């Protein structure tokens, strides 16, 4: 079982930056793959970024590629999402998530971060004003 607690959300003007953190508590020695997804009011979930257990593989949604960066500190069981050049359309609840099977899906040979995971946090709010 995995418990996830996000922090770092807030309000920022367009073009600004935020860094989200996720504290991970797990009850076995195996590290899960992890990711972030977001959801804005009235919209479907969107997978934002995913990272493999050893950090060797990272996947990003096309909408954030080049602006967001996912990383993890396995020594301290913490997941991060660095968000730069934020846009109003990035606003929403951001959720930290983990899975022991897969954190990505592939279509037509391209892989993307999932938007559904076995373990999910309660979320942190990000508001980007224009």
């Amino acid at each position: 079982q995995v418990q996830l607690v996000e922090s770092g959300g807030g309000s920022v003007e367009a073009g600004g930056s935020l860094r989200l953190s996720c504290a991970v508590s797990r009850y076995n020695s195996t590290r899960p793959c992890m990711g972030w997804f977001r959801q804005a009011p009235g919209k479907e979930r969107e997978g934002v970024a995913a990272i493999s257990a050893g950090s060797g593989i990272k996947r990003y949604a096309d909408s954030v590629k080049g602006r967001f960066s996912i990383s993890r500190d396995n020594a301290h069981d913490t997941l991060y999402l660095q968000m730069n050049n934020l846009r109003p359309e990035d606003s929403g609840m951001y959720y930290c998530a983990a899975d022991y099977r897969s954190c990505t899906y592939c279509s037509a040979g391209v892989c993307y971060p999932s938007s559904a995971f076995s373990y999910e946090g309660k979320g942190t709010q990000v508001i980007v004003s224009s």
Side-chain angles (χ1 to χ4, degrees):
Q1 189 167 354
V2 178
Q3 293 184 333
L4 307 164
V5 179
E6 304 93 338
S7 61
S11 296
V12 65
E13 291 186 351
S17 298
L18 284 173
R19 188 193 197 201
L20 306 184
S21 298
C22 175
V24 183
S25 299
R26 53 189 172 89
Y27 299 95
N28 63 55
S29 61
T30 304
R31 291 193 183 95
C33 62
M34 299 196 68
W36 294 90
F37 67 92
R38 65 188 181 187
Q39 188 165 24
K43 295 189 176 181
E44 294 186 354
R45 290 183 172 197
E46 178 187 17
V48 173
I51 187 169
S52 60
S55 302
I57 298 173
K58 300 179 183 180
R59 304 295 185 195
Y60 296 94
D62 289 342
S63 58
V64 307
K65 203 169 292 183
R67 302 186 297 121
F68 290 14
S69 178
I70 188 171
S71 62
R72 64 192 294 171
D73 179 351
N74 285 335
H76 296 93
D77 280 328
T78 305
L79 179 72
Y80 300 101
L81 184 68
Q82 177 67 43
M83 306 186 295
N84 298 327
N85 192 19
L86 283 160
R87 304 168 179 167
E89 55 263 38
D90 294 319
S91 298
M93 284 295 288
Y94 281 70
Y95 299 87
C96 172
D99 206 295
Y100 284 106
R101 292 185 297 176
S102 178
C103 293
T104 61
Y105 73 95
C106 299
S107 175
V110 181
C111 297
Y112 301 95
S114 293
S115 58
F117 299 78
S118 296
Y119 304 98
E120 300 174 355
K122 296 185 183 299
T124 185
Q125 183 80 46
V126 171
I127 299 172
V128 184
S129 58
S130 57

